[in-house]
Amino acid sequence: MKTILMAAAAALWLPAAALAQGANVAFGGGLTQDTSLPVEIESDELQVNQADGTAIFLGNVRVVQGPMRLAAQSVRVEYGPDGGGIRRLHASGGVTLANEREAAEAQEAIYTIESGEVVMTGDVLLTQGPNTLAGQRLVIDLTAGTGRMEGRVQTVFRPGTSP
């Protein structure tokens, strides 16, 4: 949270900051993802509910799918019909989504595996190299490597650099 606040404060004070209501984000292949890869999850605790087909991973949760990493305090997993594969992950509590080149932080994130869509909400901060983009909602299409930041978007671009 401290990182988010410092980056947001920097975005407000730097003259290179641009403000907008919404911004399309090109990930340049950075946050593309093969959503058919296995999903590995580790945590301090696991609660399973057979009745509604969910599992809740609690405490220092780490999710790995190929090069993509997701960290949070809690991740609720929704399974498909008859327990057939993971349909959706709902992460909350200091969520970080990252790969080798880019990272995004938020309060919550919902990752729908089949569509490859990740929706991050609450004080979202996206870092692409030296550039940052902050807002309230980030929708990422992992298969296309594109996204959209919404909600009083603040951005800092460093001249002579690319994301």
Side-chain angles (χ1 to χ4, degrees), residues 68-110:
M68 186 177 72
R69 307 282 186 264
L70 183 140
Q73 284 304 305
S74 172
V75 174
R76 181 176 185 264
V77 176
E78 296 175 23
Y79 294 98
D82 301 320
I86 297 173
R87 285 181 3 136
R88 183 176 298 127
L89 301 174
H90 182 176
S92 59
V95 178
T96 300
L97 177 70
N99 63 18
E100 299 90 9
R101 296 174 24 195
E102 298 169 322
E105 299 176 16
Q107 293 175 5
E108 293 192 50
I110 297 175

